[in-house]
Amino acid sequence: MFSLRPMTIDDYDAVMTLMQQTPGISLRDADSRENIARYLARNPGHSLVALSGEDIVGCIMSGHDGRRGYLQHLLVHPGHRRLGIANALVERCLAALQEIGIHKSHIDVLRENEIGAAYWRSQGWQLRTDIDRYSFISSDNKNT
Ligand SMILES: CC(C)(COP(=O)(O)OP(=O)(O)OC[C@H]1O[C@@H](n2cnc3c(N)ncnc32)[C@H](O)[C@@H]1OP(=O)(O)O)[C@@H](O)C(=O)NCCC(=O)NCCS
């Protein structure tokens, strides 16, 4: 049994610990407490945690730019996988995005993350081969 609720900044330490222990999740300086607080404030109710009892065992963050949705940092603790938690988290994010008229969403998956790729493929998400993502860092900090 699990439940979902919106993520708040008070969940930051527990969520970061979960992420740091999970291969396939890339954490950058952009994931600082201050930045995550700003992200949650900009996208209220669009990031979620999954609970088993009192323990956070899964999470997802999502937001939008007014026209497309962006999902990130989906993960479920290894001891709680294949129970439908990821699907429940994704469904609730997509439903919240649909409610405000956003019907197309994206997720970046590290190419080495085979579990992540298998999950998204299994759920009907299309691997884009027609787009290359270009990034630019306007800082000396290459881990930004
Ligand atoms: C990917 C991940 C979030 C899936 O979480 P989960 O709660 O176990 O997923 P669910 O139970 O909701 O799975 C629903 C369905 O997705 C598919 N699925 C889930 N994990 C899968 C895997 N490792 N390989 C292939 N298909 C998978 C299955 O069809 C599954 O249904 P089934 O259990 O009836 O076969 C979890 O494995 C995880 O945290 N991985 C590490 C972090 C990660 O890679 N996150 C994605 C970053 S982009």
Side-chain angles (χ1 to χ4, degrees):
M1 277 297 289
F2 64 90
S3 59
L4 307 184
R5 66 163 169 76
M7 177 178 166
T8 76
I9 196 59
D10 292 341
D11 299 319
Y12 180 82
D13 289 338
V15 165
M16 287 301 133
T17 301
L18 200 56
M19 289 185 184
Q20 280 155 4
Q21 293 167 351
T22 307
I25 298 291
S26 167
L27 283 175
R28 320 290 288 193
D29 291 352
D31 294 300
S32 67
R33 180 185 291 271
E34 184 189 1
N35 285 358
I36 297 296
R38 186 168 55 184
Y39 184 93
L40 296 175
R42 280 170 61 100
N43 302 284
H46 284 268
S47 297
L48 305 167
V49 290
L51 302 165
S52 171
E54 301 282 299
D55 299 330
I56 292 179
V57 296
C59 65
I60 192 168
M61 295 180 57
S62 75
H64 65 89
D65 60 13
R67 52 189 294 280
R68 299 294 189 218
Y70 298 91
L71 273 52
Q72 50 202 307
H73 290 342
L74 168 68
L75 74 96
V76 174
H77 185 281
H80 297 263
R81 290 187 187 165
R82 304 307 280 258
L83 300 172
I85 295 179
N87 273 4
L89 288 165
V90 172
E91 270 166 33
R92 208 153 123 183
C93 282
L94 295 183
L97 289 164
Q98 279 170 32
E99 265 175 35
I100 53 173
I102 293 179
H103 299 284
K104 187 171 188 178
S105 296
H106 304 298
I107 179 141
D108 287 335
V109 182
L110 288 173
R111 217 162 253 165
E112 70 210 25
N113 183 359
E114 292 174 14
I115 293 179
Y119 170 76
W120 293 109
R121 263 199 316 271
S122 78
Q123 299 307 304
W125 286 59
Q126 307 271 314
L127 173 64
R128 298 294 293 261
T129 54
D130 56 336
I131 290 177
D132 288 325
R133 167 170 273 203
Y134 292 78
S135 300
F136 183 81
I137 300 176
S138 60
S139 153
D140 291 336
N141 178 4
K142 297 303 173 204
N143 190 44
T144 198

